[in-house]
């Protein structure tokens, strides 16, 4: 293997997607992370793993949907555990207005009745009269997806080294792709943290096939199935970069909402309860910024898995412009890349 | 009418929560011309004052910050939050919310009056979030409040002015206290209606933050509030029970076909 000329700093979803994209385009890449192992100190580990570009339209700018939609195919190609069964949106009867509002802001959904809901998710039968079904959305288990990316990089000969405190000043790499998330605040003054709290529960009584969002004027909630009765319940959005454990209030709100979605969650076992901080720019949209030989890819906010593939593509394109000599420009490589992308 | 000695040109006060992004929040504030924004402390604070970066973003917008005690359920919580707010934002202003229960978000009149008294004695300039109840308002003024902020309707409900009679009575009862309709405002016409009643200002958040286009909605509210105020100053006509033609009918020549 040739000496890598590009180093990716940070092995969260941004770093791993960038490394894979660059490797697939023929660059010699390596990845370093200050954590002890995959997921350590990385907020991607706490992510929900919803690939829901159309639902996200309810609260974000259109660009999140246009950049996020292609990521569903990207994940399906790179991680076989990607589940493409759509997602559901429901609301308690007294919050029916919220469902209407959500429908007005979003697209690519079907309005469904209780019978269709029961077909899709038998365990929700009789619980909601109306729902929105977004058939083209998908979800994945972020931890398994990160492991799959690490494995893919390993197969391609891209080293990932953990426990490395990287310093750009002493690095000899020609190009540094900085994907450190909130840790890159030393270089990105307008980066801020948005805290999120989540929990993981296991229920023996219910099973969902797809993520379910329950709308609420103050405590919106989503539940993402992880298989075998395990569910991720998330997630709060608090303008704070405090990393400490979840507050009792947030935990109570999330648990309450889960219980309201289905009383069987009252009997579920709490496997994990956690909090972390998402990196965000003032417009809550990711960006690639250049500073000398450093490309900062950051600000994925709550759209890590949804927008990382598009961010990685942008990094690869910027990198090609930046140092044309780095681009292998081997036609064979490009052909191979295209072949891989084409669905079988 | 000045708010604790501060003259404001804009009669719109904006909350800073639930915008799609801080950038859009900044643009909405600019479009609205608001000079005062409320900032919630309790949730964002955390143990290490983790909300700093969001707060400095808000401060950088060059507006006056009215910190609030949203999410406080007891006098003690509200007073502690007010202390923290004074230190963080270097202001004596505090929007005082003491909530009875999280589901209805109804003000707890008893806790509110008590907290207002404690804070006013400590030199705070208190903006109490209350109902339109006259007796409670009286107690708040007695406790030292020189601004009152009655709700239009419950927080986030977008129902507009639920009790116009009560709001009118409050205005008539306190001609010299600045009155702000806070909460429940859904569309600009609600805000205009409050201004037509002679209210001094309107405070809102969700109606702008969760609009499809918050920046345009902020502007729409600013215009409605200006129109409502202008209408109030222009002394609107009184409603009548009968139609009153705008031109005299007696003695008018009969024209056209008779049907």
């Amino acid at each position: 293997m040739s000496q890598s000329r590009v180093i990716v700093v940070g092995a969260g979803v941004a770093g791993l997607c960038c490394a894979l994209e660059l490797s697939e385009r023929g660059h010699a890449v390596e990845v370093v992370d200050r954590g002890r192992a995959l997921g350590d100190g990385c907020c991607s580990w706490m992510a929900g793993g919803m690939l829901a570009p159309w639902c996200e339209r309810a609260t974000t700018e259109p660009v999140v949907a246009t950049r996020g939609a292609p990521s569903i195919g990207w994940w399906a190609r790179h991680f076989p555990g990607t589940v493409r069964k759509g997602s559901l949106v429901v609301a308690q009867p007294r919050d029916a207005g919220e469902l209407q509002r959500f429908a007005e802001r979003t697209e690519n959904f079907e309005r469904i009745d209780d019978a269709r809901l029961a077909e899709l998710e038998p365990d929700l039968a009789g619980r909601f009269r109306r729902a929105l079904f977004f058939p083209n959305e998908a979800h994945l288990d972020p931890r398994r997806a990160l492991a799959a990316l690490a494995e893919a990089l390993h197969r391609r000969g891209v080293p990932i080294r953990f426990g490395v405190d990287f310093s750009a000043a002493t690095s000899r790499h020609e190009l540094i792709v900085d994907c450190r998330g909130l840790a890159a605040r030393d270089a990105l003054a307008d980066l801020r943290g948005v805290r999120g709290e989540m929990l993981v529960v296991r229920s023996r009584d219910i099973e969902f096939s797809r993520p379910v969002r329950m709308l609420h004027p103050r405590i919106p909630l989503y539940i993402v199935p992880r298989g075998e009765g395990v569910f991720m319940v998330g997630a709060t959005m608090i303008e704070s970069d405090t990393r400490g454990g979840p507050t009792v209030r947030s935990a109570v709100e999330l648990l309450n909402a889960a219980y309201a979605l289905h009383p069987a969650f009252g009997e579920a076992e709490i496997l994990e309860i956690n909090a972390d901080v998402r990196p965000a720019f003032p417009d809550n949209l990711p960006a690639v910024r250049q500073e000398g030989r450093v490309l900062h890819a950051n600000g994925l906010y709550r759209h890590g898995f949804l927008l990382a593939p598009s961010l990685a593509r942008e990094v690869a394109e910027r990198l090609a412009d930046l140092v044309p000599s780095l681009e292998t420009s081997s036609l064979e490589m490009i052909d191979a890349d295209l072949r891989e992308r084409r669905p079988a | 009418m000045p708010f604790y000695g501060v003259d404001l040109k804009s009669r719109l006060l904006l909350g800073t929560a639930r915008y799609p992004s801080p950038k859009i929040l900044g643009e909405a504030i600019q479009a609205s011309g608001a000079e005062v924004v409320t900032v919630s402390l309790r949730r964002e604070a955390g143990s290490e004052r983790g909300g700093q970066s969001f707060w400095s973003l808000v401060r950088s917008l060059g507006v006056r910050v009215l910190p609030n005690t949203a999410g406080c359920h007891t006098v003690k919580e509200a007073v502690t939050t007010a202390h923290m707010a004074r230190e963080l934002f270097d202001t004596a202003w505090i929007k005082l919310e003491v909530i009875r229960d999280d589901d209805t978000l109804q003000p707890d009149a008893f806790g509110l009056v008590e907290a207002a008294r404690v804070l006013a004695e400590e030199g705070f300039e208190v903006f109490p979030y209350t109902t339109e109840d006259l007796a409670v308002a009286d107690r708040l003024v007695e406790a030292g409040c020189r601004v009152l902020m009655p709700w239009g309707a419950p927080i986030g409900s977008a129902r507009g002015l639920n009790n116009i009679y009560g709001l009118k009575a409050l205005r008539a009862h306190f001609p010299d206290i600045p009155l702000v309709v806070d909460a429940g405002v859904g569309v600009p016409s609600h805000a205009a209606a409050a201004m037509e009643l002679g209210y001094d200002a309107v405070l809102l958040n969700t109606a702008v933050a969760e609009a499809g286009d918050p920046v345009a909605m902020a502007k729409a509210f600013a215009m409605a509030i200006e129109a409502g105020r202008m209408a109030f100053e222009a002394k609107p006509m009184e409603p009548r029970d009968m139609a009153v033609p705008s031109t005299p009918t007696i003695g008018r020549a009969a024209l056209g076909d008779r049907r």
Side-chain angles (χ1 to χ4, degrees):
Chain A
M1 198 196 77
S2 61
Q3 171 65 42
S4 70
R5 297 157 79 184
V6 182
I7 187 163
V8 176
V9 190
V13 69
L16 296 185
C17 282
C18 283
L20 196 53
E21 181 76 24
L22 294 174
S23 169
E24 285 177 354
R25 291 186 187 215
H27 297 290
V29 193
E30 64 179 304
V31 183
V32 291
D33 191 286
R34 67 176 179 179
R36 283 158 302 174
L38 192 65
D40 179 30
C42 132
C43 69
S44 312
W45 204 247
M46 306 300 169
M50 284 189 295
L51 303 173
W54 297 288
C55 277
E56 285 301 317
R57 273 298 284 122
T59 51
T60 58
E61 296 187 45
V63 64
V64 172
T66 50
R67 290 183 63 176
S71 76
I72 295 173
W74 192 94
W75 281 109
R77 282 192 298 277
H78 291 89
F79 174 50
T82 306
V83 184
R84 304 176 79 161
K85 290 188 176 172
S87 61
L88 281 165
V89 181
V90 298
Q92 295 290 332
R94 74 167 195 185
D95 300 327
E98 299 290 317
L99 201 63
Q100 182 52 32
R101 215 185 121 256
F102 197 90
E104 281 163 12
R105 302 278 168 84
T106 52
E107 54 192 7
N108 282 336
F109 60 84
E110 300 160 15
R111 287 177 196 269
I112 61 170
D113 60 7
D114 45 357
R116 175 83 173 115
L117 178 64
E119 261 172 46
L120 290 166
E121 296 294 351
D123 283 332
L124 285 179
R127 296 208 50 79
F128 300 94
R129 296 277 303 279
R130 271 176 282 277
L132 307 178
F133 177 45
F134 291 74
N136 303 321
E137 296 191 333
H139 70 279
L140 47 76
D141 178 339
R143 297 176 188 180
R144 287 174 51 219
L146 289 178
L149 293 188
E151 173 57 30
L153 286 166
H154 178 73
R155 279 199 307 272
R156 302 186 68 92
V158 175
I160 307 177
R161 289 184 292 130
F162 288 98
V164 175
D165 234 337
F166 179 80
S167 156
T170 55
S171 153
R172 289 217 213 130
H173 292 85
E174 279 176 48
L175 258 162
I176 299 160
V177 180
D178 185 337
C179 298
R180 286 179 295 151
L182 204 55
R185 262 180 152 174
D186 51 6
L188 302 168
D190 57 347
L191 201 64
R192 75 184 199 290
V194 180
R195 182 178 158 89
E197 287 139 316
M198 55 83 89
L199 43 107
V200 180
V201 300
R202 178 169 27 229
S203 166
R204 272 185 292 271
D205 307 314
I206 40 176
E207 191 65 89
F208 295 160
S209 307
R210 49 184 69 72
V212 180
R213 288 180 194 237
M214 191 169 73
L215 306 178
H216 184 280
R218 276 172 297 115
I219 315 159
L221 159 116
Y222 57 78
I223 293 191
V224 190
R226 297 270 161 90
E228 285 149 20
V230 176
F231 299 86
M232 183 272 190
V233 182
T236 54
M237 299 278 294
I238 301 171
E239 284 289 348
S240 167
D241 47 28
T242 305
R243 271 214 139 84
T247 61
V248 170
R249 173 181 164 162
S250 294
V252 165
E253 284 178 355
L254 288 175
L255 289 168
N256 246 335
Y259 184 70
L261 179 67
H262 200 297
F265 280 113
E267 304 307 318
E269 174 191 358
I270 298 177
L271 299 180
E272 179 184 332
I273 175 156
N274 249 315
D276 213 324
V277 180
R278 318 163 173 96
F281 287 121
D283 59 2
N284 287 350
L285 296 172
V288 178
R289 294 188 193 163
Q290 189 202 335
E291 207 188 318
R293 62 185 177 134
V294 181
L295 273 184
H296 291 281
N298 214 318
L300 282 167
Y301 182 48
R302 64 169 197 209
H303 301 120
F305 284 79
L306 182 63
L307 295 183
S310 114
L311 188 70
R313 205 168 309 129
E314 199 183 332
V315 163
E317 281 156 15
R318 291 281 291 271
L319 195 134
D321 293 345
L322 211 58
V323 188
S325 66
L326 272 173
E327 187 72 57
T328 56
S329 73
S330 145
L331 285 173
E332 273 169 61
M333 281 290 189
I334 292 165
D335 278 352
D337 188 46
L338 284 174
R339 263 198 304 279
E340 192 178 319
R341 275 152 190 262
R342 199 170 297 136
Chain B
M1 211 179 298
F3 293 71
Y4 290 105
V6 176
D7 276 309
L8 299 172
K9 281 197 282 293
S10 165
R11 293 173 178 275
L12 170 56
L13 290 75
L14 261 190
T16 55
R18 306 167 80 139
Y19 287 79
S21 69
K23 180 167 169 271
I24 291 176
L25 161 66
E27 289 166 7
I29 291 173
Q30 203 164 25
S32 75
E35 294 161 273
V36 176
V37 299
T38 61
V39 174
S40 155
L41 238 73
R42 195 157 171 74
R43 260 222 123 170
E44 272 77 39
S47 48
E48 300 138 47
R49 297 191 172 159
Q52 282 294 6
S53 46
F54 179 68
W55 298 331
S56 27
L57 264 167
V58 171
R59 267 194 297 249
S60 72
L61 300 169
V63 284
R64 193 176 282 270
V65 172
L66 172 58
N68 73 31
T69 64
C72 289
H73 292 74
T74 64
V75 174
K76 191 179 162 200
E77 279 178 316
V79 170
T80 310
T81 307
H83 285 162
M84 204 167 90
R86 180 160 63 182
E87 199 183 312
L88 275 170
F89 292 104
D90 196 24
T91 173
W93 281 16
I94 187 78
K95 179 186 161 186
L96 183 61
E97 280 185 40
V98 183
I99 298 303
R100 181 59 184 164
D101 107 53
D102 265 336
D103 211 34
T104 64
L105 298 176
Q106 285 244 13
D108 174 356
F110 299 89
L112 185 68
V113 171
E114 200 184 326
R117 180 169 297 123
V118 173
L119 291 172
E121 273 170 16
E122 290 183 13
F124 279 95
E125 294 171 341
V126 181
F127 294 63
Y129 166 61
T130 180
T131 65
E132 73 282 0
D133 188 289
L134 276 177
V136 174
D138 225 18
R139 293 276 186 190
L140 287 167
V141 172
E142 191 183 72
C145 298
R146 292 294 171 266
V147 172
L148 292 173
M149 306 217 291
W151 63 0
I155 294 178
S157 68
R159 293 275 167 202
L161 309 182
N162 262 356
N163 180 0
I164 288 193
Y165 167 78
L167 290 170
K168 271 186 181 169
L170 199 69
R171 177 74 284 178
H173 200 73
F174 295 103
D176 303 322
I177 299 268
L179 297 180
V180 183
V181 164
D182 176 6
V185 172
V187 286
S189 54
H190 294 156
M195 298 310 294
E196 287 164 13
L197 295 180
Y199 273 65
D200 296 280
V202 174
L203 195 164
L204 52 99
N205 186 349
T206 317
V208 168
E210 296 199 349
D213 181 347
V215 181
M217 191 58 89
K219 177 92 182 148
F221 268 104
M223 292 164 81
I225 286 168
E226 209 181 314
R229 180 66 193 181
M230 204 183 278
F232 171 72
E233 287 171 354
K235 301 205 183 331
M237 64 180 283
E238 283 303 312
R240 295 185 181 92
D241 291 336
M242 296 288 290
V244 179
S246 46
T247 46
T249 45
I250 297 170
R252 197 170 64 176
L255 298 170
D257 297 339
R258 202 180 281 181
R259 282 168 198 238

